[in-house]
Amino acid sequence: MGLKTALYDTHNTMGARMVPFGGWDMPLHYGSQLQEHHAVRQQAGMFDVSHMLALDITGKDSEVFLRKLLANDVSKLQQPGKALYSCMLNPDGGVIDDLIVYFMRPGHYRMVVNAGTAEKDLTWMEQQAHAYAVEISARRDLAMIAIQGPQARELALPLLPEVLQQPASELKPFVAVDDGDWLVARTGYTGEDGFEVSLPAEGAAEFWNALAVAGVTPCGLGARDTLRLEAGMNLYGSDMDETTSPLESGLAWTIAWEPQERDFIGRKALETQRNKDDNLQFVGLVLEGRGVLRNHLKLFSGDEELGEITSGGFGPTLDRSIALARIRRGEYDSCEVEMRGKRALVRVVKPPFVRNGEIKVQ
Amino acid sequence: MSDFPTELKYAKTHEWARDEGDGTITVGITDHAQDQLGDLVFVDLPEEGDSVEAGEDCAVVESVKAASDIYSPASGEIIAVNSVLGESPELVNESAFGDGWLFKVKMSNPAELDNLLDANGYQEVAASEEH
């Protein structure tokens, strides 16, 4: 048995198929992950993401500490509530985790990290924090619910605490507003508009049930994965890990090289790698024919092995299979995948595949 | 809970066969199998007129989770395939024992059906896989 979120009983009541994920028992789907996927693209769906860990970083050195710890630069965050996506790197430039950090107010940042890496992240962060006046506290007292889709904000707003309704309705993308232990962020992992809401765990079931009554479809990890894949968003552990650099994982845009004197962990290794001309490239793939691209399938151009699929699956919005892959540098419009003993043609594209309900690739 | 209709015969590899009483069987995958696979997205069926051996892989069902080979429960000739599944693979999820059937076989050796499991025997196989 894995760990249980505050919504575990609610998921079972709603008929969820529960599966182990990152040490937790989480819903895979509530009947059909394809229907859940379409609900998010067309109306609104909700996900229990309480298995992810929220951390508060407080103290007078919190900004200096995070500028050392993270490859992206928290000093970009000037407005309270503003969020930043970043990798946390090891000294070799490998990705320890990818995360979101929110600037709450001077001396207080909120970070959300992946479930399966949470303990490792905490240990690493505490080791790095020794020289700084910061306190890191894990917020296991919080639940997190993501509400995503074109109707998500409209359906969720009236169910938020009254004091948050007006400010939440005015949020720009990638900004959050908080009140007490409630945090409402206009962020997500689906390529659709919506909110990610942190709230006291004891209130999670009531909020979830109210969302269901309002017409928000409960969605499991299955739909979460196909939605993020279509959105071209990386999955930690599949698309990147401690042995891969963000430069070879489609995450170069998350590295803040300026100012040059900011000596973040992993910087030296990345600078060396940045100047090499044989780095692998991170691309999207679309399968022309039938079948489903799966993780680790090998890719070829003639006899030359180009690389492999890092995460593949079926894209329900495109009604065909898509993947993210790490391949040799070069101009490729297409390549071949070896699938069930046969070669099949795949087109090489630039993610995302889908954004805000619209198909972005041919 | 999955259904295990008692009038059907079952293979350990999760196919069901219905004896139509005229020397033919209708074949599909079980409710348990579709439940384990999750939403189906592709079904590749044999051709009408193909000869198959008992235990020979002759179709593929592919779900969001995995691709799975389908083995014919009996030897003979494929006399019909459920071509609707090309457009609507979800019928297998919705009605594994009904509209989601895969193909029909004209058996060359109907005694092979005796090698299959009954509902109780298959239910034990299914239960042992869930733990």
Side-chain angles (χ1 to χ4, degrees):
Chain A
M1 291 296 279
L3 300 164
K4 295 177 172 60
T5 74
L7 292 168
Y8 179 83
D9 291 338
T10 308
H11 298 317
N12 280 318
T13 305
M14 288 185 162
R17 157 69 57 92
M18 303 298 285
V19 291
F21 181 83
W24 295 74
D25 282 348
M26 297 301 293
L28 179 64
H29 59 71
Y30 301 79
S32 166
Q33 71 174 70
L34 293 179
Q35 286 173 20
E36 292 164 19
H37 178 107
H38 293 308
V40 171
R41 287 275 179 257
Q42 292 159 18
Q43 291 106 25
M46 57 181 166
F47 305 82
D48 179 10
V49 289
S50 309
H51 57 311
M52 299 179 77
L53 180 62
L55 300 161
D56 278 331
I57 294 121
T58 51
K60 71 175 173 59
D61 287 347
S62 42
E63 181 180 357
V64 194
F65 169 62
L66 289 173
R67 295 189 78 201
K68 176 78 180 177
L69 186 76
L70 302 180
N72 212 337
D73 188 353
V74 295
S75 69
K76 291 177 187 172
L77 306 175
Q78 293 298 321
Q79 174 200 357
K82 190 90 179 79
L84 185 75
Y85 173 77
S86 182
C87 290
M88 179 162 72
L89 305 177
N90 62 31
D92 300 328
V95 184
I96 295 173
D97 203 1
D98 67 331
L99 54 90
I100 299 261
V101 60
Y102 300 90
F103 171 54
M104 306 299 291
R105 49 195 66 84
H108 182 192
Y109 291 83
R110 166 70 56 83
M111 191 184 275
V112 179
V113 302
N114 283 303
T117 48
E119 293 308 315
K120 173 187 86 168
D121 293 351
L122 257 179
T123 305
W124 173 254
M125 288 172 67
E126 275 158 5
Q127 282 169 8
Q128 306 311 314
H130 276 312
Y132 299 90
V134 290
E135 201 166 313
I136 301 164
S137 43
R139 297 296 308 270
R140 283 290 179 210
D141 56 315
L142 299 178
M144 286 183 274
I145 297 172
I147 308 118
Q148 302 276 294
Q151 295 170 16
R153 291 192 302 139
E154 180 191 328
L155 292 174
L157 274 171
L159 305 173
L160 295 174
E162 209 169 331
V163 61
L164 282 171
Q165 289 180 14
Q166 182 66 24
S169 73
E170 292 165 1
L171 285 176
K172 298 269 189 293
F174 245 67
V175 183
V177 61
D178 68 317
D179 180 68
D181 282 334
W182 281 74
L183 176 78
V184 181
R186 195 169 167 194
T187 52
Y189 192 48
T190 60
E192 299 298 321
D193 201 350
F195 290 135
E196 292 179 302
V197 178
S198 302
L199 71 165
E202 58 271 20
E206 187 189 341
F207 184 53
W208 178 275
N209 288 327
L211 287 162
V213 169
V216 180
T217 302
C219 301
L221 293 175
R224 186 167 162 83
D225 192 51
T226 53
L227 287 158
R228 72 90 198 166
L229 182 62
E230 283 188 344
M233 293 171 170
N234 290 39
L235 173 64
Y236 188 81
S238 295
D239 299 311
M240 71 289 195
D241 59 24
E242 291 191 29
T243 68
T244 52
S245 148
L247 295 176
E248 295 184 320
S249 309
L251 296 173
W253 62 277
T254 69
I255 302 162
W257 299 103
E258 301 291 335
Q260 284 181 32
E261 59 274 19
R262 188 177 69 96
D263 182 27
F264 62 85
I265 298 168
R267 177 169 192 133
K268 283 187 187 66
L270 290 192
E271 278 177 346
T272 306
Q273 191 188 22
R274 191 188 187 186
N275 296 321
K276 293 188 348 189
D277 54 12
D278 61 347
N279 287 332
L280 302 174
Q281 57 177 337
F282 198 72
V283 298
L285 304 175
V286 178
L287 179 64
E288 295 291 349
R290 294 159 62 81
V292 182
L293 302 169
R294 307 283 179 186
N295 297 11
H296 305 301
L297 291 182
K298 301 261 182 266
L299 299 162
F300 298 89
S301 176
D303 289 337
E304 185 194 13
E305 187 173 326
L306 295 183
E308 69 170 37
I309 289 174
T310 53
S311 58
F314 184 71
T317 310
L318 298 102
D319 197 27
R320 59 178 62 181
S321 182
I322 55 173
L324 298 172
R326 190 176 284 113
I327 64 171
R328 280 193 197 179
R329 190 152 291 275
E331 296 286 324
Y332 300 101
D333 295 329
S334 66
C335 62
E336 287 180 303
V337 62
E338 194 164 286
M339 200 163 56
R340 296 173 63 78
K342 290 180 196 154
R343 294 277 186 97
L345 190 71
V346 287
R347 270 189 308 115
V348 178
V349 299
K350 188 177 184 312
F353 304 92
V354 180
R355 196 46 68 88
N356 293 322
E358 274 180 43
I359 295 173
K360 294 290 184 191
V361 293
Q362 286 297 306
Chain B
M1 265 318 287
S2 299
D3 285 337
F4 300 94
T6 51
E7 69 275 19
L8 303 178
K9 294 284 207 173
Y10 298 87
K12 282 181 186 159
T13 46
H14 306 291
E15 296 83 7
W16 56 264
R18 186 172 62 231
D19 187 347
E20 302 294 355
D22 58 358
T24 70
I25 52 169
T26 302
V27 179
I29 66 165
T30 65
D31 191 41
H32 167 76
Q34 71 76 23
D35 186 53
Q36 293 291 313
L37 283 166
D39 290 304
L40 292 200
V41 291
F42 294 111
V43 178
D44 282 327
L45 295 169
E47 303 269 337
E48 282 178 26
D50 283 358
S51 328
V52 289
E53 296 290 319
E56 180 186 342
D57 60 320
C58 62
V60 180
V61 296
E62 188 140 18
S63 76
V64 286
K65 184 171 150 190
S68 188
D69 289 317
I70 305 302
Y71 304 94
S72 180
S75 308
E77 181 191 337
I78 303 287
I79 53 163
V81 298
N82 190 5
S83 49
V84 181
L85 299 180
E87 283 297 304
S88 302
E90 69 276 7
L91 286 176
V92 178
N93 295 111
E94 291 164 7
S95 176
F97 298 120
D99 293 344
W101 64 277
L102 300 180
F103 53 87
K104 295 176 191 282
V105 182
K106 184 176 183 191
M107 294 180 287
S108 53
N109 180 11
E112 284 173 348
L113 289 185
D114 296 337
N115 300 330
L116 299 175
L117 301 166
D118 63 11
N120 281 334
Y122 176 67
Q123 195 162 357
E124 283 173 28
V125 171
S128 70
E129 285 187 356
E130 281 182 12
H131 299 287

